[in-house]
Amino acid sequence: MDSGVRVDLHGRQALVTGGARGLGASIVRALAGAGASVLVADLRKDLARDLCNELAAAGRGDARFVELDVRDAGAVAEVFKDLEAEGQAVDILVNNAAVDVSKPIEHLTSDEVTRVVATNLLGPMYLCLETYRRMVARGGGHIVNILSTAANRTWTEAGPYAAGKSGLRAFTHTLFKEAQRDCPGIGVTGIIAGGMETPFIMERFPDADVSMLQSPDIVADTVLYALSVPSGSAVSELVVVPRKEPSWP
């Protein structure tokens, strides 16, 4: 889908976590289509490389794969050290990587809780720690954290997921306030995205009614909108949900 938002990202480099498929891939395509060089950060090597090759073949911008487990703070730091050694910087960070375990709390294991919270909350925080201080030093940049309706209203079998997304929403708002204080050139936006027709939903709920879901391209377009806002304004949070979204408000 061609974006309805017009923003020129030529000369800027973006890093998208979980960028190999689903919403992440839609965001990668949107950013590359707007002219950004995109780092596709994921653990799915084959899918990520296929996406990069697809974009190159279509002449739709520059994208390359970066293997990254967001749960590993050391690995996150190493990516940024390597980029600095190459004379590169991350101008746009999109924290999109997320996992879920749909189980009643009484049946959850500690390993499952750790995996969900480490991926959905600690991982984005690690990325923000490495990115934000560098953006302050350069005087600008934009961080987009993909949230969920679970950050506002939870449901059964969603304990760790809701906890992680609620925590990330709080962290995003804190970072937004600190950016207002530290560096007016830095944008920080949380995007609360409702149900999408992506593998994240369909693999867990194969019988889901797709008429109740939205295209991930719509959410990717919302990312572009956040990046298009003039420097005199700031967008701390956007909400984009299907019209029939049952979990909002």
Side-chain angles (χ1 to χ4, degrees):
M1 185 185 78
D2 289 332
S3 171
V5 178
R6 295 291 174 256
V7 56
D8 185 0
L9 300 179
H10 286 88
R12 301 175 74 182
Q13 180 158 257
L15 187 152
V16 181
T17 67
R21 69 171 189 169
L23 174 58
S26 289
I27 293 171
V28 168
R29 292 187 182 99
L31 292 171
S37 297
V38 188
L39 301 172
V40 182
D42 211 308
L43 289 174
R44 305 176 184 93
K45 297 180 183 180
D46 291 343
L47 286 176
R49 287 174 176 149
D50 286 347
L51 175 60
C52 293
N53 291 337
E54 168 202 317
L55 291 169
R60 296 201 58 178
D62 172 36
R64 65 186 176 98
F65 168 59
V66 175
E67 186 171 3
L68 179 62
D69 183 345
V70 301
R71 299 170 296 178
D72 185 339
V76 171
E78 196 64 31
V79 165
F80 282 84
K81 288 178 184 176
D82 289 345
L83 288 173
E84 284 186 335
E86 297 168 4
Q88 298 186 46
V90 172
D91 304 297
I92 301 162
L93 169 66
V94 182
N95 277 311
N96 164 75
V99 297
D100 191 13
V101 176
S102 299
K103 283 185 178 181
I105 291 171
E106 66 173 316
H107 298 307
L108 283 168
T109 68
S110 58
D111 285 346
E112 289 169 335
V113 170
T114 298
R115 184 169 75 91
V116 173
V117 174
T119 304
N120 299 3
L121 175 58
L122 296 182
M125 292 175 72
Y126 297 152
L127 269 294
C128 286
L129 293 178
E130 295 295 336
T131 305
Y132 181 70
R133 61 174 66 101
R134 289 175 169 86
M135 287 182 174
V136 171
R138 293 197 311 275
H142 206 119
I143 295 172
V144 177
N145 290 333
I146 303 299
L147 307 175
S148 163
T149 53
N152 281 61
R153 179 179 178 179
T154 190
W155 47 87
T156 60
E157 288 80 49
Y161 184 78
K165 289 298 186 178
S166 298
L168 183 57
R169 184 174 187 239
F171 181 82
T172 303
H173 279 266
T174 301
L175 190 59
F176 175 84
K177 295 298 293 182
E178 293 195 8
Q180 285 184 305
R181 178 196 66 196
D182 298 338
C183 183
I186 297 176
V188 178
T189 307
I191 295 180
I192 294 178
M196 290 168 280
E197 191 175 353
T198 62
F200 185 77
I201 294 289
M202 302 310 298
E203 287 179 358
R204 290 179 297 139
F205 308 108
D207 296 327
D209 182 354
V210 296
S211 71
M212 301 282 285
L213 303 174
Q214 62 189 342
S215 167
D217 293 337
I218 300 298
V219 180
D221 214 32
T222 306
V223 173
L224 290 187
Y225 173 74
L227 299 175
S228 75
V229 174
S231 59
S233 299
V235 178
S236 63
E237 188 170 275
L238 293 164
V239 180
V240 54
V241 298
R243 289 208 175 259
K244 298 179 181 180
E245 173 66 62
S247 63
W248 184 269

